[in-house]
Every structure is written in structure tokens, then in C-alpha cells.
Amino acid sequence: MALNLENIRAQFPVLHQEVNGRPLVYFDNAATSQKPKMVIDAIAQYYNKENSNIHRGVHYLSQLATDKYEKAREAIRRLLNAKAVEEIIFTRGTTEAINLVANCLTRSLFKPGDEIIISAIEHHSNIVPWQMACEQSGAVLKVIPVLDSGELDMDAYKALLNEKTKFVTVNSISNALGTVNPIEEIIALAHAKGALILIDGAQSVPHAKVDVQALDADFYCFSAHKMYGPTGVGVLHGKKEILEKMPPYHGGGEMIKEVTFEGTTYNDLPFKFEGGTPNIAGGIGVEAAVRFMEEVGVENIANYEAELLAYALEKLKEIEGVQFIGEAKNRAGLVSFNLKGIHPYDAGTVLDKLGIAIRTGHHCAQPVMDRFDVPGTMRASFAVYNTKQEIDVFIAGIHRVKQMFG
Ligand code: 7TS
């Protein structure tokens, strides 16, 4: 089905402005996507008409806000095809979701000598919490290496797995390289050794259909702000039987059943992991973001973005001096590259003067930059409102950069 791009673009107010005297071309979607009017309106509506704390009031507004917030949980369940809303835990984002799992398992599972496997192409958010977990528990961190192609070395992964492996975590799409990892196989191999596995889906949920039941990972997490939703909200999906066995994360209101000075009993799922007043407006915004994605169609988004990526790659390949960082066979959403002899920061600055927003630098994945021996890359990442005409403007911008520094 062809997308009605004009209609889609009309829903994003931020796109219709000039930056440095040029129409904005926004290609920094892997960092955060723009928000459609229905998301902005849902948040404004909450603050204008519905603002109240949730799960605690008998009064009208509190019940209204509670219903809306819980509707967001149901929307996420639907988006992920999760079994039950009890498995959907709201967090501040991917980073907090990963820290939650790392912290709770450090206190309940990891023992000295256990092994935790991550990959060489993780975001810092999926590295540092595991380093902290190892520091505190005496577990040992193992890293799946990456091949020159930007693909994970699956033979090395198989060799790393053994009876000491307690936990495995990888992203499903790398934010630095665009590599789509074979997570079905990675999950099955981890489970065959009896290890738990977490998938960092921050770069997947905005771009592809995710079915957590079919995937069968123990934990799956992502951030709303990369999928047309607000900042400050994310999701941890976990299997109910595992979440039930885990100790709580933050202590406070909402996560308790009963508190006395002698002891406290904890609330049922998902509230056990949601201490304190949550980001209510954010949750309500997420519900609208899911509706936006459903209205456009997640498959349509995936197909259209694949078209954009193929077009960008074809055009970039024609330019002399373009060096791709990561050329995995299966890639999505973004292209990471450098121009021979030109620092990515200089290139990004010139593009900005032309109204083109791309990301330059290490993309919070410094080990990836070290592995490929580059100071950083230029990264163009796409969303459903981007167009081939914008890619043409971007390509003309690259030629301009080359003229200036070449
Ligand atoms: N994991 C991946 C794969 C990511 O791409 C990001 C954010 C995170 C985790 C952290 O998400 P947060 O919402 O908790 O911050 N990635 C990027 C990026 O590529 N540029 O800016 C943020």
C-alpha cells in the first residue's frame, strides 16, 4: 500500500519550518523521532482537562486519568502482542528498563563466576549496567565480537555460551551501524544453555513489527520517544513468571501492598516495579503514538523506510570517498558513514547550515567506533515522514561538504 506522505507529514508540526533559512530535513530519528499532532494534543488535553494523580483517587479526574494511563498499557500490549498487561512495565526509557533488570538480577541471581554476555555493538545503555552488575556480583562480562561487515560473529557467540552463562543481552538493531541482529537465533541459543535473555528493541519497535510471544525473549525493552511518542517514557516487557520471582526495583508509593515498620509486602505486577508517581502525561502520549503507528500500519512503515534506506545507499554509493561503517546484509533504518579525509563533525556542521539534521559522533557506542578505528561517523536515520526528495537534498549537501573540505 502506498503511503499518503502528504497526509503523514501534515501531522508533524515541527517539520514545517526553516532551519538556517532552509526547509528542515530531519534525519536524526534514531536519536529521537518527531511527534505527530495527535500525541501533542493528547498530552495537552491531559494537562488542560484531566490532570490528576492515578491509582489512588476516588474522584472523577483521578479515575479518568487512571483509565487513560491504563489504556496506554493495553495499547503497548497490543503493539507487542504480549500475553497480558501485567507484563508491561512503564519505565523512563530503554536505559531505565535495562538498569531495572540488571539491578534486580544482581540482587537475586548473579553469583561470582557467572557469565553475562553482551555484544560489541551495544549502546552504552546496554553495556554499563552490566559492567556495574559484574562489579557488584562478581560475575564476568563476555563480549560477542563484530565482523568487518558489522554483523555479529555468531560462531564466537556459540563458543562463548556455556553452563556458566546466566544472562545474554543484545540489541535487535544497532543504533551505530544499522545492523539487524539475528535475535531469534540468539534467543534460542541462550535458552538452550538455560540463560535468560534481554533484547534492547530501542531501534526496532519504531520500525518493525515486534511480537514478543513469538520471539520468546525473557525481557524486551524500548523508548517511546523514538516511536513518535514523548520523552521520559519507556517499556520493559518481561515474562510474568520471571518478573514475579524478581525483587522490586525502586521502593516507594504504588509498588507496595502494605507497609509497617516491621516489614512491607509488595504490590502485584506490573505495579511492583513502578514505585512513585509515573509520567502520566507521557503514558497518555504513548497511547496516541501507538494509535498513530497502527493507523499508518507498522508493516507500511517498515516497507517504506526500507525503500528510503535503499535509495539513500544507492545515492551515497555513487559518491567518491564515502566509507560505510557497517554493511550488514540485513540492515534497517539508518546509514552510518564517513567521507574520506573529512571529520564527521565538520561535515555535520556544514549540513546543519543547509538545514539538514544528522547525527555525528560516537552515537553512545564508543566501543563500536574503536572497533572500526574511526573517531565517529555521520549517521542519517529515517522515519515514516521522510522523503526521497529530502534524501536528494542531503546528497547535494554531501557534495557541498566535499567541495568545501575536499
Ligand atoms: N539502546 C539503543 C539501541 C539505542 O539506540 C538507545 C538510544 C538506547 C538504548 C538508549 O535509549 P534511551 O531512550 O534510554 O536514551 N540511542 C540514541 C542514539 O542513537 N542517539 O541518541 C540516542
Side-chain angles (χ1 to χ4, degrees), residues 30-31 93-96 98 123 125 171 173 175 200 202-203 223 225-226 359 363 379:
T94 307
T95 302
E96 192 181 49
I98 295 169
H123 187 279
S125 292
N171 55 41
I173 299 178
N175 70 311
D200 170 356
Q203 297 295 344
S223 300
H225 70 91
K226 296 183 199 287
R359 178 81 171 225
H363 317 297
R379 182 186 72 183

Side-chain angles (χ1 to χ4, degrees), residues 92-351:
R92 282 195 295 130
T94 307
T95 302
E96 192 181 49
I98 295 169
N99 276 277
L100 186 163
V101 175
N103 179 291
C104 294
L105 294 184
T106 298
R107 285 154 49 221
S108 61
L109 179 72
F110 302 142
K111 299 273 176 308
D114 285 349
E115 293 181 359
I116 297 172
I117 299 180
I118 66 173
S119 93
I121 57 173
E122 297 307 309
H123 187 279
H124 295 162
S125 292
N126 205 24
I127 301 174
V128 183
W130 305 111
Q131 289 175 325
M132 289 160 64
C134 288
E135 217 172 83
Q136 286 162 23
S137 68
V140 181
L141 198 65
K142 301 279 169 175
V143 183
I144 309 168
V146 59
L147 304 169
D148 291 341
S149 62
E151 289 158 335
L152 291 181
D153 183 340
M154 290 296 285
D155 291 332
Y157 172 49
K158 286 172 200 161
L160 283 177
L161 284 164
N162 65 64
E163 60 290 341
K164 287 183 279 184
T165 310
K166 275 283 158 59
F167 200 84
V168 177
T169 178
V170 294
N171 55 41
S172 49
I173 299 178
S174 153
N175 70 311
L177 305 173
T179 307
V180 178
N181 287 319
I183 53 170
E184 290 83 357
E185 192 186 351
I186 293 173
I187 293 166
L189 286 163
H191 281 164
K193 288 286 178 211
L196 294 175
I197 180 158
L198 176 145
I199 300 295
D200 170 356
Q203 297 295 344
S204 276
V205 177
H207 308 290
K209 181 80 196 112
V210 174
D211 182 329
V212 292
Q213 289 191 70
L215 273 180
D216 196 38
D218 302 290
F219 305 98
Y220 191 100
C221 61
F222 59 97
S223 300
H225 70 91
K226 296 183 199 287
M227 51 162 274
Y228 310 105
T231 51
V233 200
V235 171
L236 171 67
H237 171 266
K239 286 183 185 164
K240 199 171 163 193
E241 59 275 18
I242 295 170
L243 292 174
E244 266 167 355
K245 278 194 228 137
M246 274 162 56
Y249 181 40
H250 292 144
E254 192 64 37
M255 51 75 74
I256 53 92
K257 237 184 204 137
E258 214 174 290
V259 179
T260 68
F261 289 117
E262 284 66 51
T264 290
T265 50
Y266 303 124
N267 207 340
D268 296 328
L269 291 175
F271 310 112
K272 175 173 126 184
F273 292 102
E274 295 183 351
T277 299
N279 184 347
I280 304 167
I284 288 170
V286 173
E287 195 273 334
V290 173
R291 270 191 287 121
F292 170 78
M293 290 181 70
E294 288 172 342
E295 278 172 22
V296 180
V298 180
E299 301 261 321
N300 294 331
I301 294 174
N303 292 337
Y304 178 63
E305 288 177 355
E307 228 178 87
L308 287 178
L309 178 63
Y311 185 73
L313 289 176
E314 181 195 313
K315 294 284 168 189
L316 281 169
K317 274 180 192 156
E318 290 167 2
I319 301 177
E320 211 191 299
V322 167
Q323 301 164 328
F324 292 103
I325 313 296
E327 293 191 83
K329 278 193 263 339
N330 196 359
R331 55 201 287 193
L334 63 93
V335 53
S336 212
F337 65 99
N338 275 321
L339 294 169
K340 195 161 178 246
I342 302 174
H343 196 282
Y345 179 81
D346 292 334
T349 307
V350 172
L351 291 176

